[in-house]
Amino acid sequence: MDQTAAPPEIDGACAPLDIAQDALRKLRGDAKLRVTSEVDDGAGIFTTQRGMLRNKKGPYRLMCRYEVAAGSGKKDLVIAYVWHDGTRYVVDSDIEVWPDD
């Protein structure tokens, strides 16, 4: 962040599909869930918004959007917050799931 608390004006790399898929399978409890694509071509958006509570600000995080197909065949858009700890990508458990209309 700069002195005005503005987010960095850079792109951040989202977790690759296979890593996101493994994490989302665990978080959703669906071993057959498939991540079919990353909506923003692998680039995430830095944001302070948190889950469904849009009036609650948090630290800047990298928001990534993935299209997924559940084991049942239902398709959804998953918004995940991703970071890298220096050795691996970590997908925060604070995810949003929206129906893919």
Side-chain angles (χ1 to χ4, degrees), residues 29-56:
D30 183 350
K32 294 182 181 179
L33 179 141
R34 290 179 298 109
V35 174
T36 58
S37 68
E38 205 287 325
V39 175
D40 301 302
D41 296 323
I45 301 165
F46 285 99
T47 181
T48 60
Q49 304 298 316
R50 296 185 67 92
M52 300 295 290
L53 304 172
R54 293 292 181 205
N55 59 345
K56 179 180 178 187

Side-chain angles (χ1 to χ4, degrees), residues 14 20-21 23-25 27-28 33-40 62-70 74-82 91-100:
C14 290
Q21 179 172 283
L24 293 173
R25 281 179 173 178
L27 290 170
R28 302 283 297 160
L33 179 141
R34 290 179 298 109
V35 174
T36 58
S37 68
E38 205 287 325
V39 175
D40 301 302
L62 185 64
M63 179 181 73
C64 300
R65 301 184 304 165
Y66 297 98
E67 291 180 348
V68 302
K74 181 180 174 225
K75 294 185 178 182
D76 293 312
L77 171 70
V78 173
I79 297 174
Y81 299 95
V82 178
V91 177
D92 193 300
S93 62
D94 182 18
I95 62 173
E96 296 178 51
V97 180
W98 295 87
D100 185 24

Side-chain angles (χ1 to χ4, degrees), residues 15-16 19 23 26 82-91:
I19 293 171
K26 290 175 188 166
V82 178
W83 56 285
H84 196 277
D85 71 0
T87 59
R88 64 186 177 99
Y89 284 96
V90 178
V91 177

